[in-house]
Amino acid sequence: MSDEPRKIEEHLQSKSTWLRLFNMVILAICFGIAETVAIAVVLFQFFTVLFTGERNTNVVRLGSSLSQYLYQIARYMTYNSEERPFPFGRWPEPEVVVVDSGVDVDAEAR
């Protein structure tokens, strides 16, 4: 029992713990911004399909990398990953996406 208060004090004084909190605050802000951009991407792609009948390949790629980014932030903030997402790390590459005149975007998912 006598070691427990000492361990708590060590954790409270740990620079890595406070640095992670700082990273999490920055990433929470980034998550909110990315979430707003994702909603805009969804709406833009919907109206593109509505008016042209085809998906915009660049928007599909953006949506793919954006969804991976949101996933990376969630994993880091819930302590499921130690890898820091953008802006502390690299922006995720979009998954390979096949866009054709059909309805399905990701043929590999089947």
Side-chain angles (χ1 to χ4, degrees):
M1 287 292 278
S2 64
D3 282 345
E4 192 170 314
R6 203 172 299 148
K7 286 183 179 181
I8 292 173
E9 186 176 325
E10 286 175 17
H11 293 300
L12 287 172
Q13 293 177 354
S14 171
K15 289 182 182 179
S16 65
T17 301
W18 294 106
L19 180 59
R20 186 170 185 116
L21 174 64
F22 173 76
N23 291 338
M24 290 170 69
V25 169
I26 298 298
L27 288 170
I29 294 167
C30 291
F31 190 93
I33 294 168
E35 188 177 34
T36 302
V37 172
I39 291 169
V41 166
V42 166
L43 293 173
F44 181 80
Q45 191 69 288
F46 173 77
F47 286 112
T48 299
V49 171
L50 183 65
F51 293 119
T52 67
E54 295 181 5
R55 289 173 292 250
N56 182 314
T57 306
N58 293 326
V59 176
V60 169
R61 291 176 52 84
L62 174 60
S64 176
S65 64
L66 192 59
S67 64
Q68 289 179 51
Y69 178 58
L70 291 167
Y71 177 67
Q72 288 175 354
I73 292 175
R75 286 187 44 83
Y76 182 81
M77 291 183 68
T78 58
Y79 285 80
N80 284 292
S81 173
E82 294 300 317
E83 187 175 338
R84 296 182 304 166
F86 180 84
F88 305 109
R90 293 181 52 135
W91 182 263
E93 292 292 323
E95 294 176 355
V96 176
V97 179
V98 177
V99 178
D100 59 11
S101 60
V103 176
D104 294 330
V105 174
D106 192 359
E108 294 179 9
R110 293 181 183 180

